[in-house]
mmCIF file of all heavy atoms in Angstrom:
data_model
loop_
_atom_site.group_PDB
_atom_site.id
_atom_site.type_symbol
_atom_site.label_atom_id
_atom_site.label_comp_id
_atom_site.label_asym_id
_atom_site.label_seq_id
_atom_site.Cartn_x
_atom_site.Cartn_y
_atom_site.Cartn_z
ATOM 1 N N ASP A 714 75.276 -49.766 -41.758
ATOM 2 C CA ASP A 714 74.172 -50.723 -41.791
ATOM 3 C C ASP A 714 73.717 -51.034 -43.222
ATOM 4 O O ASP A 714 72.740 -51.745 -43.424
ATOM 5 C CB ASP A 714 72.987 -50.159 -40.986
ATOM 6 C CG ASP A 714 71.950 -51.224 -40.649
ATOM 7 O OD1 ASP A 714 72.346 -52.352 -40.281
ATOM 8 O OD2 ASP A 714 70.753 -50.931 -40.754
ATOM 9 N N GLY A 715 74.445 -50.477 -44.226
ATOM 10 C CA GLY A 715 74.157 -50.812 -45.624
ATOM 11 C C GLY A 715 73.205 -49.873 -46.331
ATOM 12 O O GLY A 715 72.736 -50.189 -47.447
ATOM 13 N N TRP A 716 72.916 -48.734 -45.775
ATOM 14 C CA TRP A 716 72.017 -47.782 -46.414
ATOM 15 C C TRP A 716 72.834 -46.834 -47.296
ATOM 16 O O TRP A 716 73.849 -46.295 -46.879
ATOM 17 C CB TRP A 716 71.234 -46.979 -45.378
ATOM 18 C CG TRP A 716 70.328 -47.834 -44.527
ATOM 19 C CD1 TRP A 716 70.658 -48.450 -43.359
ATOM 20 C CD2 TRP A 716 68.971 -48.156 -44.802
ATOM 21 N NE1 TRP A 716 69.585 -49.158 -42.873
ATOM 22 C CE2 TRP A 716 68.519 -48.989 -43.743
ATOM 23 C CE3 TRP A 716 68.072 -47.851 -45.818
ATOM 24 C CZ2 TRP A 716 67.236 -49.507 -43.682
ATOM 25 C CZ3 TRP A 716 66.783 -48.357 -45.756
ATOM 26 C CH2 TRP A 716 66.363 -49.180 -44.708
ATOM 27 N N LYS A 717 72.361 -46.641 -48.560
ATOM 28 C CA LYS A 717 73.051 -45.752 -49.488
ATOM 29 C C LYS A 717 72.038 -45.140 -50.457
ATOM 30 O O LYS A 717 70.957 -45.683 -50.663
ATOM 31 C CB LYS A 717 74.129 -46.504 -50.249
ATOM 32 C CG LYS A 717 73.609 -47.653 -51.088
ATOM 33 C CD LYS A 717 74.727 -48.411 -51.797
ATOM 34 C CE LYS A 717 75.602 -49.150 -50.816
ATOM 35 N NZ LYS A 717 76.614 -49.986 -51.510
ATOM 36 N N ASP A 718 72.445 -44.029 -51.046
ATOM 37 C CA ASP A 718 71.586 -43.353 -52.018
ATOM 38 C C ASP A 718 72.058 -43.759 -53.414
ATOM 39 O O ASP A 718 72.834 -43.058 -54.063
ATOM 40 C CB ASP A 718 71.657 -41.841 -51.821
ATOM 41 C CG ASP A 718 70.704 -41.076 -52.744
ATOM 42 O OD1 ASP A 718 69.932 -41.735 -53.455
ATOM 43 O OD2 ASP A 718 70.750 -39.830 -52.742
ATOM 44 N N ALA A 719 71.564 -44.881 -53.882
ATOM 45 C CA ALA A 719 72.049 -45.457 -55.141
ATOM 46 C C ALA A 719 71.666 -44.625 -56.357
ATOM 47 O O ALA A 719 72.419 -44.541 -57.338
ATOM 48 C CB ALA A 719 71.512 -46.882 -55.302
ATOM 49 N N ASN A 720 70.490 -44.015 -56.373
ATOM 50 C CA ASN A 720 70.040 -43.263 -57.548
ATOM 51 C C ASN A 720 70.083 -41.747 -57.342
ATOM 52 O O ASN A 720 69.488 -40.993 -58.118
ATOM 53 C CB ASN A 720 68.612 -43.682 -57.919
ATOM 54 C CG ASN A 720 67.646 -43.521 -56.734
ATOM 55 O OD1 ASN A 720 68.029 -43.000 -55.683
ATOM 56 N ND2 ASN A 720 66.414 -43.965 -56.913
ATOM 57 N N SER A 721 70.771 -41.315 -56.318
ATOM 58 C CA SER A 721 70.994 -39.883 -56.061
ATOM 59 C C SER A 721 69.703 -39.070 -55.969
ATOM 60 O O SER A 721 69.644 -37.915 -56.405
ATOM 61 C CB SER A 721 71.891 -39.279 -57.147
ATOM 62 O OG SER A 721 73.136 -39.940 -57.185
ATOM 63 N N ASP A 722 68.655 -39.654 -55.385
ATOM 64 C CA ASP A 722 67.400 -38.914 -55.221
ATOM 65 C C ASP A 722 67.253 -38.334 -53.815
ATOM 66 O O ASP A 722 66.214 -37.788 -53.458
ATOM 67 C CB ASP A 722 66.202 -39.808 -55.543
ATOM 68 C CG ASP A 722 66.097 -41.004 -54.597
ATOM 69 O OD1 ASP A 722 67.024 -41.212 -53.775
ATOM 70 O OD2 ASP A 722 65.092 -41.744 -54.684
ATOM 71 N N GLY A 723 68.335 -38.468 -53.028
ATOM 72 C CA GLY A 723 68.318 -37.915 -51.682
ATOM 73 C C GLY A 723 67.700 -38.824 -50.642
ATOM 74 O O GLY A 723 67.627 -38.459 -49.477
ATOM 75 N N ILE A 724 67.255 -40.028 -51.067
ATOM 76 C CA ILE A 724 66.619 -40.971 -50.139
ATOM 77 C C ILE A 724 67.477 -42.231 -50.049
ATOM 78 O O ILE A 724 67.820 -42.832 -51.074
ATOM 79 C CB ILE A 724 65.199 -41.344 -50.613
ATOM 80 C CG1 ILE A 724 64.351 -40.086 -50.802
ATOM 81 C CG2 ILE A 724 64.539 -42.280 -49.603
ATOM 82 C CD1 ILE A 724 63.011 -40.357 -51.436
ATOM 83 N N LEU A 725 67.827 -42.629 -48.849
ATOM 84 C CA LEU A 725 68.655 -43.815 -48.658
ATOM 85 C C LEU A 725 67.860 -45.091 -48.909
ATOM 86 O O LEU A 725 66.660 -45.152 -48.650
ATOM 87 C CB LEU A 725 69.227 -43.836 -47.241
ATOM 88 C CG LEU A 725 70.199 -42.700 -46.871
ATOM 89 C CD1 LEU A 725 70.648 -42.832 -45.431
ATOM 90 C CD2 LEU A 725 71.408 -42.686 -47.797
ATOM 91 N N GLU A 726 68.587 -46.110 -49.407
ATOM 92 C CA GLU A 726 67.976 -47.408 -49.694
ATOM 93 C C GLU A 726 68.868 -48.497 -49.120
ATOM 94 O O GLU A 726 70.075 -48.318 -48.945
ATOM 95 C CB GLU A 726 67.824 -47.619 -51.202
ATOM 96 C CG GLU A 726 67.019 -46.532 -51.906
ATOM 97 C CD GLU A 726 67.153 -46.617 -53.409
ATOM 98 O OE1 GLU A 726 68.029 -47.371 -53.880
ATOM 99 O OE2 GLU A 726 66.408 -45.921 -54.119
ATOM 100 N N ARG A 727 68.267 -49.644 -48.902
ATOM 101 C CA ARG A 727 69.045 -50.793 -48.440
ATOM 102 C C ARG A 727 68.543 -52.031 -49.169
ATOM 103 O O ARG A 727 67.338 -52.306 -49.216
ATOM 104 C CB ARG A 727 68.880 -50.981 -46.928
ATOM 105 C CG ARG A 727 69.794 -52.056 -46.350
ATOM 106 C CD ARG A 727 69.651 -52.100 -44.822
ATOM 107 N NE ARG A 727 70.590 -53.023 -44.247
ATOM 108 C CZ ARG A 727 70.404 -54.347 -44.177
ATOM 109 N NH1 ARG A 727 69.289 -54.894 -44.659
ATOM 110 N NH2 ARG A 727 71.324 -55.132 -43.644
ATOM 111 N N THR A 728 69.502 -52.776 -49.756
ATOM 112 C CA THR A 728 69.161 -53.967 -50.538
ATOM 113 C C THR A 728 69.600 -55.217 -49.805
ATOM 114 O O THR A 728 70.712 -55.278 -49.256
ATOM 115 C CB THR A 728 69.835 -53.918 -51.911
ATOM 116 O OG1 THR A 728 69.420 -52.727 -52.595
ATOM 117 C CG2 THR A 728 69.459 -55.127 -52.746
ATOM 118 N N GLU A 729 68.716 -56.208 -49.777
ATOM 119 C CA GLU A 729 69.009 -57.479 -49.131
ATOM 120 C C GLU A 729 68.717 -58.620 -50.103
ATOM 121 O O GLU A 729 67.832 -58.515 -50.963
ATOM 122 C CB GLU A 729 68.146 -57.664 -47.876
ATOM 123 C CG GLU A 729 68.544 -56.796 -46.703
ATOM 124 C CD GLU A 729 67.717 -57.113 -45.462
ATOM 125 O OE1 GLU A 729 66.646 -57.725 -45.605
ATOM 126 O OE2 GLU A 729 68.145 -56.753 -44.352
ATOM 127 N N GLY A 730 69.473 -59.735 -49.974
ATOM 128 C CA GLY A 730 69.231 -60.929 -50.790
ATOM 129 C C GLY A 730 69.834 -60.807 -52.181
ATOM 130 O O GLY A 730 70.422 -59.791 -52.561
ATOM 131 N N ARG A 731 69.641 -61.872 -52.958
ATOM 132 C CA ARG A 731 70.159 -61.915 -54.328
ATOM 133 C C ARG A 731 69.112 -62.497 -55.257
ATOM 134 O O ARG A 731 68.222 -63.245 -54.831
ATOM 135 C CB ARG A 731 71.424 -62.773 -54.396
ATOM 136 C CG ARG A 731 72.604 -62.186 -53.629
ATOM 137 C CD ARG A 731 73.824 -63.086 -53.774
ATOM 138 N NE ARG A 731 74.974 -62.558 -53.060
ATOM 139 C CZ ARG A 731 76.164 -63.149 -53.008
ATOM 140 N NH1 ARG A 731 76.330 -64.322 -53.635
ATOM 141 N NH2 ARG A 731 77.162 -62.595 -52.348
ATOM 142 N N GLY A 732 69.278 -62.171 -56.530
ATOM 143 C CA GLY A 732 68.394 -62.753 -57.536
ATOM 144 C C GLY A 732 66.938 -62.391 -57.288
ATOM 145 O O GLY A 732 66.599 -61.252 -56.971
ATOM 146 N N LYS A 733 66.079 -63.420 -57.446
ATOM 147 C CA LYS A 733 64.645 -63.185 -57.290
ATOM 148 C C LYS A 733 64.260 -62.845 -55.856
ATOM 149 O O LYS A 733 63.227 -62.228 -55.612
ATOM 150 C CB LYS A 733 63.870 -64.405 -57.733
ATOM 151 C CG LYS A 733 63.988 -64.681 -59.235
ATOM 152 C CD LYS A 733 63.171 -65.896 -59.615
ATOM 153 C CE LYS A 733 63.278 -66.165 -61.114
ATOM 154 N NZ LYS A 733 62.470 -67.357 -61.519
ATOM 155 N N SER A 734 65.069 -63.235 -54.896
ATOM 156 C CA SER A 734 64.757 -62.945 -53.490
ATOM 157 C C SER A 734 65.289 -61.592 -53.041
ATOM 158 O O SER A 734 65.151 -61.211 -51.883
ATOM 159 C CB SER A 734 65.336 -64.041 -52.590
ATOM 160 O OG SER A 734 66.750 -64.071 -52.709
ATOM 161 N N GLN A 735 65.924 -60.888 -53.958
ATOM 162 C CA GLN A 735 66.486 -59.577 -53.600
ATOM 163 C C GLN A 735 65.365 -58.559 -53.373
ATOM 164 O O GLN A 735 64.429 -58.455 -54.170
ATOM 165 C CB GLN A 735 67.407 -59.092 -54.719
ATOM 166 C CG GLN A 735 68.059 -57.733 -54.403
ATOM 167 C CD GLN A 735 69.068 -57.333 -55.459
ATOM 168 O OE1 GLN A 735 69.917 -58.154 -55.845
ATOM 169 N NE2 GLN A 735 68.982 -56.119 -55.939
ATOM 170 N N THR A 736 65.475 -57.820 -52.293
ATOM 171 C CA THR A 736 64.503 -56.765 -51.981
ATOM 172 C C THR A 736 65.242 -55.472 -51.665
ATOM 173 O O THR A 736 66.348 -55.493 -51.111
ATOM 174 C CB THR A 736 63.635 -57.139 -50.768
ATOM 175 O OG1 THR A 736 64.485 -57.360 -49.640
ATOM 176 C CG2 THR A 736 62.811 -58.374 -51.051
#
Side-chain angles (χ1 to χ4, degrees):
D714 196 42
W716 297 89
K717 61 182 68 175
D718 184 5
N720 55 6
S721 301
D722 62 353
I724 304 172
L725 296 178
E726 303 167 349
R727 187 175 185 278
T728 302
E729 287 185 342
R731 294 181 180 179
K733 293 181 179 180
S734 62
Q735 181 174 312
T736 59

